């Protein structure tokens, strides 16, 4: 039997032991957990997990391998992956490589055999913390010193955003959308294509003048990693273009819209990650089952007198899940409608964006 060769050291001094897979690099990350029962490839390839070590609460991971068509990003930037049982012999006719091979190729450490139930309860009770994934020979004192002397990153969006514009076109397009890439998931782009949109994906620091030159029918603000206050270029962009184009924001995009209108954001104790969050649509009264992945939320009290209305609320913890400014044709949600957890509860949001662009064109 394989010997224990890796461990996790949390900044509170607690340690968890296991077995390595993927890369054997040492890594300091923020530790979070995800409650999804499937979709580990989408999680590993989601740019919103940049610099984060993700604990999977579902016990068996790796059993269907990695399929070329299921990536959410071209670049893998997750910090680390922590699982209970890892399966390195996938049973899936679509798989082209194992999860361990993918992590090794991208220098991402994995560790299995960990008591993920205990670890998840620790994150739930004490909150997200910084951790070191390292070899068994690293002492607790050495690990804590490494964590203490590793600066916290504030360049997450700059790391994952595209470096130059690129295009995703569809047949018989009706609208042209500029998507601000803060770490955009490919399924969002595919969803916009399905609704008849040609999409131009641009770097997060693209200026208002550059976007105006493209003459878009609407602007999309993507999901992404890190603290929204670190993404000043997008906040400034929204301030300058709101009211001139319909704007739709998802996840980080939702938080950036809030900040641009003068609301505030704050960090959650352990965030929302998984596909089982009930959200109430205030206008319709309907409850949507949503997929979420974020560490920050919009402060409810700060929304007052900003021109934004709260449109959705999380039924688990009463956090703000949706905002809108009807006169400006601006709206956003904290969750991911393209992830289809309902599975079709939230598709109407893309249709709402289409209607906003059509109305703007008709009234031009």
């Amino acid at each position: 039997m394989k010997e224990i060769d890796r461990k996790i050291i949390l900044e509170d001094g607690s340690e968890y032991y296991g077995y390595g897979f993927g890369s054997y690099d040492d890594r300091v990350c923020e530790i979070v957990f995800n409650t999804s029962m499937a979709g580990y490839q989408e999680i590993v390839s989601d740019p919103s997990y940049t610099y984060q070590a993700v604990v999977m609460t579902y016990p068996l991971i790796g059993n269907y391998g990695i399929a070329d068509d299921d990536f959410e990003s071209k670049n893998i930037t997750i910090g680390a992956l922590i699982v209970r049982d890892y399966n390195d012999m996938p049973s899936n006719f679509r798989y082209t490589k194992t999860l361990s091979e993918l992590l090794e190729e991208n220098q991402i450490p994995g560790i299995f055999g960990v008591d993920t139930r205990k670890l998840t309860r620790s994150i739930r009770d004490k909150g997200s913390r910084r951790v070191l994934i390292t070899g068994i020979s690293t002492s607790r004192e050495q690990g804590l010193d490494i964590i203490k002397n590793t600066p916290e990153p504030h360049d997450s969006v700059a790391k994952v955003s595209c470096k130059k514009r690129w295009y995703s076109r569809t047949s018989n397009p009706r609208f042209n959308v500029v998507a601000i890439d803060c770490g955009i998931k490919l399924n969002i782009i595919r969803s916009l294509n399905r609704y008849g949109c040609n999409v131009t994906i641009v770097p997060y620091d693209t200026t208002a003048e550059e976007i105006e030159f493209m003459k878009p029918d609407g602007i999309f603000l993507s999901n992404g990693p890190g603290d929204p206050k670190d993404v000043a270029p997008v906040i400034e962009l929204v301030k300058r273009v709101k009211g001139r184009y319909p704007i739709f924001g998802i996840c980080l995009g939702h938080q950036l819209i809030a900040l641009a209108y003068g609301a505030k954001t704050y960090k959650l104790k352990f965030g929302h990650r998984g596909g089982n969050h009930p959200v109430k649509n205030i206008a319709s009264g309907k409850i949507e089952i949503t997929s979420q992945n974020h560490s920050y939320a919009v402060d409810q009290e700060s929304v007052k007198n900003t021109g934004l209305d709260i449109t959705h609320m999380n039924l688990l913890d009463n956090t703000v899940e949706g905002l809108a400014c009807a006169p400006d044709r601006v709206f956003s949600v904290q969750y991911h409608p393209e992830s289809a957890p309902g599975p079709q509860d939230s598709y109407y949001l893309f249709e709402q964006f289409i209607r906003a662009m059509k109305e703007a064109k008709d009234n031009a």
Side-chain angles (χ1 to χ4, degrees), residues 13 54 76-77 79 91 131 160 162 166 184 189 191 291 296 315 328:
V54 180
I76 312 300
T77 57
S91 177
V131 300
V160 299
C162 59
W166 60 281
I184 195 166
I189 299 170
S191 297
S291 176
Y296 292 82
L315 296 183
D328 289 347

Side-chain angles (χ1 to χ4, degrees), residues 33 124 254 266-273 276-280 290 292 294-301 312-322 334-335:
F33 66 84
R124 181 196 65 189
H254 161 79
Y266 65 98
K267 190 168 186 179
L268 295 165
K269 184 177 181 181
F270 51 81
H272 296 162
R273 293 174 184 84
N276 50 7
H277 290 260
V279 168
K280 183 175 182 178
T290 69
Q292 307 211 5
H294 61 103
S295 294
Y296 292 82
V298 175
D299 178 73
Q300 185 172 346
E301 284 298 312
H312 299 73
M313 292 294 294
N314 190 302
L315 296 183
L316 296 179
D317 61 5
N318 269 340
T319 50
V320 176
E321 292 283 352
Q334 183 64 79
Y335 52 94

Side-chain angles (χ1 to χ4, degrees), residues 95-115:
Y95 101 93
T96 55
K97 65 182 67 172
T98 68
L99 175 58
S100 183
E101 289 168 344
L102 177 70
L103 297 184
E104 186 176 9
E105 288 173 7
N106 290 276
Q107 295 183 298
I108 296 164
I111 181 170
F112 73 95
V114 174
D115 186 345

Side-chain angles (χ1 to χ4, degrees), residues 51-67:
Y51 299 131
Q52 291 181 330
V54 180
V55 180
M56 298 299 297
T57 62
Y58 188 75
L60 181 60
I61 301 297
N63 52 309
Y64 54 84
I66 298 295

Side-chain angles (χ1 to χ4, degrees), residues 53-318:
V54 180
V55 180
M56 298 299 297
T57 62
Y58 188 75
L60 181 60
I61 301 297
N63 52 309
Y64 54 84
I66 298 295
D68 290 341
D69 295 333
D70 294 345
F71 286 101
E72 286 288 4
S73 172
K74 299 173 184 177
N75 300 311
I76 312 300
T77 57
I78 189 173
L81 189 65
I82 303 165
V83 306
R84 176 60 180 173
D85 295 314
Y86 172 67
N87 185 315
D88 206 39
M89 299 180 66
S91 177
N92 177 7
F93 74 96
R94 296 175 63 238
Y95 101 93
T96 55
K97 65 182 67 172
T98 68
L99 175 58
S100 183
E101 289 168 344
L102 177 70
L103 297 184
E104 186 176 9
E105 288 173 7
N106 290 276
Q107 295 183 298
I108 296 164
I111 181 170
F112 73 95
V114 174
D115 186 345
T116 52
R117 293 179 67 186
K118 180 180 178 181
L119 184 53
T120 298
R121 286 196 300 268
S122 173
I123 300 168
R124 181 196 65 189
D125 296 341
K126 299 179 181 179
S128 299
R129 283 153 288 163
R130 301 182 80 205
V131 300
L132 171 67
I133 293 88
T134 186
I136 198 71
S137 62
T138 304
S139 71
R140 176 184 293 154
E141 291 71 25
Q142 288 174 321
L144 292 175
D145 190 57
I146 292 170
I147 294 171
K148 180 180 178 181
N149 290 293
T150 300
E152 292 192 40
H154 291 277
D155 64 341
S156 302
V157 168
K159 177 180 175 69
V160 299
S161 180
C162 59
K163 306 310 175 197
K164 61 180 181 180
R165 75 178 68 169
W166 60 281
Y167 306 90
S168 181
R169 299 185 175 94
T170 188
S171 57
N172 303 315
R174 299 166 57 201
F175 302 100
N176 292 306
V177 172
V178 169
I180 311 300
D181 181 10
C182 298
I184 195 166
K185 293 168 66 178
L186 293 177
N187 201 32
I188 291 175
I189 299 170
R190 289 191 288 264
S191 297
L192 289 168
N193 287 157
R194 281 195 295 270
Y195 278 97
C197 300
N198 277 343
V199 185
T200 303
I201 301 91
V202 300
Y204 80 102
D205 54 357
T206 300
T207 65
E209 289 76 15
E210 290 172 303
I211 289 176
E212 185 176 352
F213 182 77
M214 299 178 209
K215 295 182 169 54
D217 298 309
I219 296 173
F220 176 81
L221 304 181
S222 85
N223 62 292
D227 186 339
K229 297 186 190 74
D230 290 337
V231 199
V234 181
I235 297 170
E236 183 59 33
L237 172 68
V238 175
K239 289 179 180 179
R240 295 192 57 185
V241 301
K242 64 187 176 82
R244 296 167 58 190
Y245 306 97
I247 301 176
F248 177 24
I250 286 177
C251 199
L252 179 65
H254 161 79
Q255 298 159 14
L256 295 172
I257 285 173
L259 291 171
Y261 275 82
K264 298 178 181 178
T265 57
Y266 65 98
K267 190 168 186 179
L268 295 165
K269 184 177 181 181
F270 51 81
H272 296 162
R273 293 174 184 84
N276 50 7
H277 290 260
V279 168
K280 183 175 182 178
N281 183 319
I282 295 173
S284 68
K286 292 183 177 179
I287 310 300
E288 302 171 36
I289 301 301
T290 69
S291 176
Q292 307 211 5
N293 174 17
H294 61 103
S295 294
Y296 292 82
V298 175
D299 178 73
Q300 185 172 346
E301 284 298 312
S302 72
V303 175
K304 295 177 181 177
N305 303 317
T306 62
L308 293 170
D309 295 314
I310 297 173
T311 58
H312 299 73
M313 292 294 294
N314 190 302
L315 296 183
L316 296 179
D317 61 5
N318 269 340

